[in-house]
Amino acid sequence: MSTVNKYENIENELPKLQQVLLDAIQSDFLEIKSVNKSCEKYLKACEAIPELKDAHFVVFSKFIKKRDHRYERFVFLDREGHEVCDVSGQEMGLHGLLEPCMNLSLSEEYEAAFGNPA
């Protein structure tokens, strides 16, 4: 876990984000991505889990191996960072559902220390 904040504007962009999630994302322990709301996988998931219709972002662990994703929990957030639902990896996978967060800017400190991991 890093002591360098990953994003310079996350608190402005996601003002309702829980502190524990903010700290984990900023320390690069958890990852945040945008949800591709036009993909077939998302549209089907919304039929099974209606709360996903309000989801714009998802927080997940980037350290869990693919074979263990079924044990993971994915936290879905609305536009302001408020949690709309959490879903187990057993209920759905994230492959094909994620896009970069275009509204979040990497901090200069992070880029200097780790580069741009796009």
Side-chain angles (χ1 to χ4, degrees):
M1 225 158 45
S2 170
T3 57
V4 173
N5 282 341
K6 186 171 183 176
Y7 296 106
E8 67 182 13
N9 65 337
I10 192 169
E11 291 179 72
N12 290 333
E13 291 292 322
L14 302 171
K16 306 280 182 168
L17 187 61
Q18 293 176 35
Q19 189 66 45
V20 68
L21 290 177
L22 174 64
D23 293 344
I25 293 165
Q26 285 290 58
S27 65
D28 213 16
F29 185 71
L30 292 178
E31 185 66 67
I32 185 168
K33 294 284 185 182
S34 290
V35 174
N36 179 348
K37 295 179 81 99
S38 63
C39 78
E40 186 66 30
K41 186 174 199 172
Y42 171 78
L43 298 172
K44 284 185 178 186
C46 285
E47 291 174 16
I49 308 165
E51 296 90 352
L52 284 175
K53 290 179 182 164
D54 295 326
H56 289 272
F57 304 98
V58 62
V59 177
F60 59 96
S61 172
K62 62 183 187 179
F63 298 109
I64 294 183
K65 294 181 172 130
K66 188 174 182 175
R67 71 174 185 266
D68 295 326
H69 279 235
R70 67 179 180 252
Y71 303 114
E72 188 173 5
R73 300 289 305 175
F74 307 121
V75 179
F76 288 88
L77 309 170
D78 68 11
R79 286 183 191 271
E80 295 188 328
H82 184 264
E83 184 177 337
V84 294
C85 67
D86 67 273
V87 179
S88 78
Q90 208 156 6
E91 292 176 85
M92 72 179 288
L94 296 180
H95 183 73
L97 188 69
L98 306 178
E99 298 179 324
C101 291
M102 300 309 288
N103 63 323
L104 298 180
S105 302
L106 292 176
S107 70
E108 288 181 20
E109 258 185 322
Y110 184 86
E111 286 192 276
F114 305 104
N116 189 343

